[in-house]
Amino acid sequence: MADHSAPAAAPADLVSLHEAEVVAWLKQHPDLLLRHPDLCDILQPPERRSGDNVVDLQRFMVQRLQGALARASNVGNELLDASRQNLSATQRVHAAVLMLLEAGNFEHMIHMATQDWTDLLEVDVISLCVEGDPERMQEIATGGVVILPNGAIDTLLGALPALARDQTEAAEWLYGPAASLVRSDALARLDFGPTAPQAMLALGSREADKFQPNQGTELLQFLAGVLGRSVRAWLDLPQP
């Protein structure tokens, strides 16, 4: 049976709208599809070009999809690279901790942390910084251990447990003769116990973007925590 029902009425503002007017409006607003990309899903494109005056919407939509696919691929590659870098950093930190457990004495452990760790952690210089009077503590200021004036660590870190800095000009009092090499670094508090002076682990790199302010410092804090506990154990210092 034939359907004699009346077609749905067009909106009042579209009753007098003609194709020529739509075409004219589109010519005045060529960015319509950029502002409303969802229209690509409902418009019917021509299958091929039929003349110089015909725009190939099918090619436009294919190029748009190719662009979206390329962007998604780039994001995926960036995430994959970041995952690989995080895994590599985690493995290096774990290896550094295992190395520390093999120390035969306190001096050997300090040498590992300030000398051997540089290659393992892929940095150029490591300093174990302790606040105090330089004259009274001069005997420990050797082999990567440096004495900082009281309050220096709070000045550098503020209330943070760790901090990464890029494009920095390192101070000689922090890295000694190697300071001229350092272009970025990472700093982390060391906890030697309630009766010990404030201390800090500093890792410096000649690469200006090796460490960046927006990167996480959880692995660095973990490494500093292990080093602090090792120092307390070797020196039999009170626990925090």
Side-chain angles (χ1 to χ4, degrees):
M1 180 180 295
D3 185 1
H4 300 288
S5 58
D13 57 344
L14 296 181
V15 171
S16 60
L17 194 62
H18 299 289
E19 183 175 334
E21 294 173 312
V22 174
V23 171
W25 187 91
L26 288 175
K27 288 181 178 180
Q28 295 176 4
H29 300 82
D31 61 340
L32 176 68
L33 292 179
L34 294 177
R35 292 183 289 109
H36 300 280
D38 53 300
L39 290 177
C40 292
D41 295 332
I42 59 176
L43 291 175
Q44 182 178 357
E47 294 184 359
R48 66 180 188 279
R49 290 183 179 272
S50 57
D52 293 338
N53 294 327
V54 177
V55 178
D56 190 351
L57 288 180
Q58 188 176 51
R59 177 177 299 180
F60 166 78
M61 286 188 283
V62 168
Q63 291 175 343
R64 188 181 189 89
L65 290 174
Q66 289 174 336
L69 180 60
R71 289 191 296 272
S73 179
N74 289 336
V75 171
N77 289 335
E78 290 175 0
L79 290 174
L80 184 58
D81 289 342
S83 298
R84 288 172 176 167
Q85 292 175 3
N86 288 338
L87 178 60
S88 177
T90 300
Q91 291 173 336
R92 290 196 300 269
V93 168
H94 288 171
V97 171
L98 293 176
M99 175 187 289
L100 211 63
L101 296 177
E102 297 176 355
N105 53 50
F106 178 74
E107 290 74 17
H108 187 202
M109 182 199 66
I110 296 300
H111 178 85
M112 286 180 169
T114 60
Q115 306 299 321
D116 298 339
W117 275 6
T118 54
D119 290 336
L120 189 57
L121 300 177
E122 297 183 349
V123 295
D124 294 288
V125 57
I126 297 177
S127 293
L128 198 164
C129 310
V130 182
E131 290 186 355
D133 185 345
E135 294 184 0
R136 297 177 57 186
M137 303 176 66
Q138 190 61 38
E139 66 277 4
I140 71 169
T142 58
V145 178
V146 298
I147 309 303
L148 303 183
N150 290 324
I153 293 176
D154 283 341
T155 299
L156 289 168
L157 292 176
L160 298 174
L163 175 68
R165 307 184 298 178
D166 63 347
Q167 308 290 341
T168 186
E169 293 291 338
E172 186 173 351
W173 51 265
L174 191 58
Y175 294 107
S180 61
L181 294 174
V182 177
R183 293 294 175 266
S184 66
D185 62 1
L187 315 174
R189 291 183 184 275
L190 293 169
D191 187 358
F192 293 159
T195 62
Q198 290 206 64
M200 180 181 71
L201 181 66
L203 287 69
S205 172
R206 69 181 68 205
E207 299 177 21
D209 58 351
K210 173 73 173 182
F211 299 106
Q212 301 178 30
N214 61 348
Q215 75 182 76
T217 60
E218 293 80 4
L219 283 174
L220 179 61
Q221 293 180 54
F222 170 73
L223 188 62
V226 172
L227 181 58
R229 286 166 172 80
S230 297
V231 169
R232 292 200 305 267
W234 278 109
L235 298 182
D236 197 22
L237 296 174
Q239 299 296 317

